[in-house]
């Protein structure tokens, strides 16, 4: 499925979260990732992030769509991602 | 339509961008907004942001969906938004 992940993490843990997200997703811009994951990968990533974050201080939101066919993406200014996305 | 807006803005302009986004959307967490906009509102917001940002330095990505019916949202840790979303 197509995922957009955004995080707001205490700086003590942000490097670990960034590294973990990079294993699964494409970086778009500061604290935002996107990419295609299987259900198993979503579960794996979620479990890994659960081990890193402090639930009292940190926040992660994962938007999940079955397909990117319903979404369009508008970019203003710099496109910071390296991704050559197929649905811009 | 349902929109997710993420920004990465030079601190000189970030307050103006934040204020403008708040006029149209609901804040979710650091530099992330969501909400329902008409096509006209998307155009208005875009035009306002174009006037504020520096296209060489700043980046805004707006994800647009016709409906939220295809999207699910998973929150880890704190739900920083005030929004009582109807599709969590």
């Amino acid at each position: 499925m197509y995922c957009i992940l955004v995080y707001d993490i205490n700086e003590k843990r942000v490097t670990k979260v960034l590294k973990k997200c990079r294993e699964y997703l494409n970086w778009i811009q500061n604290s935002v990732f996107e990419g295609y994951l299987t259900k198993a990968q979503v579960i794996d990533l979620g479990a890994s992030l659960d081990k890193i974050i402090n639930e009292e201080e940190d926040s992660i939101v994962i938007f999940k769509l079955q397909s990117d066919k319903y979404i369009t993406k508008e970019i203003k200014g710099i496109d910071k991602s390296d991704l050559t996305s197929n649905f811009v």
Side-chain angles (χ1 to χ4, degrees), chain A:
Chain A
M1 67 191 85
Y2 171 70
C3 299
I4 302 165
L5 184 150
V6 297
Y7 62 71
D8 192 348
I9 303 284
N10 185 295
E11 62 182 20
K12 292 174 200 163
R13 291 173 292 276
V14 75
T15 308
K16 280 190 179 175
V17 168
L18 179 68
K19 192 178 163 197
K20 184 54 67 181
C21 289
R22 275 193 194 276
E23 288 176 23
Y24 290 82
L25 295 163
N26 304 299
W27 183 83
I28 294 186
Q29 64 170 219
N30 179 35
S31 75
V32 184
F33 286 80
E34 71 172 359
Y36 296 91
L37 298 179
T38 63
K39 277 191 184 175
Q41 286 175 317
V42 172
I43 292 167
D44 281 354
L45 174 58
S48 298
L49 293 173
D50 283 341
K51 285 180 197 162
I52 299 169
I53 68 169
N54 177 329
E55 292 202 345
E56 311 289 313
E57 293 185 9
D58 302 328
S59 177
I60 294 174
V61 182
I62 308 171
F63 299 93
K64 295 179 275 191
L65 288 97
Q66 285 311 309
S67 157
D68 66 17
K69 145 174 111 163
Y70 306 109
I71 199 164
T72 56
K73 192 165 72 164
E74 181 181 344
I75 297 170
K76 292 187 172 293
I78 315 166
D79 181 359
K80 296 201 171 188
S81 73
D82 301 318
L83 183 71
T84 29
S85 180
N86 61 356
F87 62 93
V88 173

